[in-house]
Amino acid sequence: MALYREYKITKKPLFLFGEENKPYFKDITGIFFNLSHCKNAVLCAVGEVENGVDIQEYGDINENASEMIFHTEEMAYLKSAVFPEQEKIRFWSMKEAYGKYLGKGILYDLPAVSFAKVLPDRWQQFQNAYILSTMQQTAAFSVCAKSPMTVCTVSHTEMIAFIKERYKIEGNA
């Protein structure tokens, strides 16, 4: 749907995995993408710059695991946060999105990187990239990219309508 809306590409793309399992389109050059999903949502980035995305439903991260994940600045921030569990998930989603942007996934020194100064709901420069993170009702998501990207939301209803029209499917989905 994103490829069609943004680039009028109608052919179903084939994607492969490069080094460190970063996905790329086999036959489309100059367009980068990344995907993430959770129980009730899918996040997709498609653009002309390298990117990485992550969406995480709110849930508890084990305190013992927190020390292996979060920078000391992030831990201090969480102690004074109004909604520490949601902020913790937001930090985790930024760490994953950043790692996916780098092409490393979560295989980098997570506690060495601090997102404590990254505010939600706005693009901010972060090291060699830009990052956007937000907290929704049930999940937090983050997008990391070489430059800011346009973000749009597509409802389940819109997605189903697009699929039905595109693939000439009749009936209920």
Side-chain angles (χ1 to χ4, degrees):
M1 183 175 188
L3 284 172
Y4 178 75
R5 278 187 169 183
E6 297 299 318
Y7 301 100
K8 301 301 180 221
I9 294 173
T10 58
K11 184 179 172 191
K12 183 178 176 183
L14 176 63
F15 65 90
L16 303 172
F17 295 93
E19 290 183 37
E20 317 253 1
N21 283 330
K22 187 161 178 106
Y24 66 93
F25 292 120
K26 180 181 180 193
D27 299 320
I28 303 172
T29 57
I31 300 176
F32 301 89
F33 80 100
N34 204 249
L35 300 167
S36 182
H37 67 89
C38 61
K39 184 178 178 183
N40 294 308
V42 175
L43 181 63
C44 169
V46 174
E48 295 163 17
V49 295
E50 284 284 355
N51 59 69
V53 300
D54 188 60
I55 187 165
Q56 295 286 325
E57 290 179 340
Y58 298 126
D60 193 30
I61 294 177
N62 183 302
E63 280 305 311
N64 296 331
S66 291
E67 292 179 9
M68 297 184 298
I69 297 169
F70 300 112
H71 189 280
T72 54
E73 290 176 357
E74 293 167 333
M75 297 292 281
Y77 178 90
L78 291 169
K79 285 182 179 162
S80 64
V82 176
F83 300 107
E85 294 306 314
Q86 286 89 342
E87 288 285 1
K88 193 182 288 187
I89 298 302
R90 186 175 73 88
F91 284 154
W92 175 251
S93 76
M94 285 188 281
K95 287 180 180 283
E96 277 212 49
Y98 183 64
K100 290 167 86 174
Y101 163 76
L102 295 173
K104 297 177 182 287
I106 59 169
L107 300 177
Y108 69 98
D109 189 0
L110 296 170
V113 178
S114 175
F115 291 96
K117 294 179 179 157
V118 176
L119 301 172
D121 303 320
R122 67 177 75 160
W123 282 102
Q124 292 174 262
Q125 191 162 12
F126 182 81
Q127 295 186 10
N128 63 340
Y130 286 83
I131 194 152
L132 168 73
S133 69
T134 191
M135 294 185 296
Q136 302 291 315
Q137 285 185 331
T138 60
F141 76 81
S142 297
V143 181
C144 186
K146 189 73 175 166
S147 61
M149 302 174 72
T150 301
V151 175
C152 59
T153 302
V154 177
S155 72
H156 181 262
T157 304
E158 289 174 293
M159 182 63 76
I160 295 298
F162 174 82
I163 291 168
K164 282 182 169 183
E165 180 185 324
R166 177 80 177 92
Y167 298 103
K168 308 297 184 226
I169 298 170
E170 295 185 26
N172 295 330

